[in-house]
Amino acid sequence: MVKVALFVRLEAKPGKEKEVESFLMSGLPIVNEEPATTAWFGIRLGPSTFGIFDAFPNEAGRQAHLSGKVAAALMAKTGELFSEPPSIEKVDVLAAKLPG
């Protein structure tokens, strides 16, 4: 069961939308290696607005993800791809339906 999550909102710089899309897609193999990342979604919210939603069984899993490779890559690309710093919100999961 997942109890906590992250919602990250990303605003692409003009002309960088395809690069942001590719960046998000490249994150999937990395998070597949994180045992405590139960669910991970790279999403598009609008023409230049993207996001990441990921869920974890506990705070330790969320913290491990925030200290991991995807978070480091996101911060490294902030100035290049995004018009503003990523908005990272810690959220609680009230209900979830997961496969399995």
Side-chain angles (χ1 to χ4, degrees):
M1 184 67 180
V2 294
K3 304 254 185 225
V4 297
L6 294 168
F7 178 70
V8 182
R9 190 176 190 92
L10 307 164
E11 191 63 39
K13 283 185 175 180
K16 296 289 187 176
E17 296 84 2
K18 286 286 185 198
E19 289 180 56
V20 172
E21 190 175 303
S22 294
F23 173 77
L24 289 174
M25 293 171 72
S26 73
L28 184 58
I30 298 168
V31 296
N32 279 337
E33 297 175 10
E34 296 178 354
T37 302
T38 304
W40 186 90
F41 301 90
I43 57 176
R44 183 175 215 145
L45 299 165
S48 63
T49 306
F50 296 83
I52 299 169
F53 179 81
D54 35 18
F56 315 91
N58 53 40
E59 183 60 32
R62 180 164 61 185
Q63 285 306 125
H65 178 73
L66 286 170
S67 301
K69 292 178 185 177
V70 171
L74 180 66
M75 291 307 146
K77 292 283 189 176
T78 293
E80 177 186 339
L81 297 179
F82 307 115
S83 61
E84 55 193 56
S87 167
I88 302 172
E89 296 180 54
K90 291 182 176 182
V91 297
D92 294 328
V93 175
L94 301 178
K97 179 182 184 285
L98 301 170

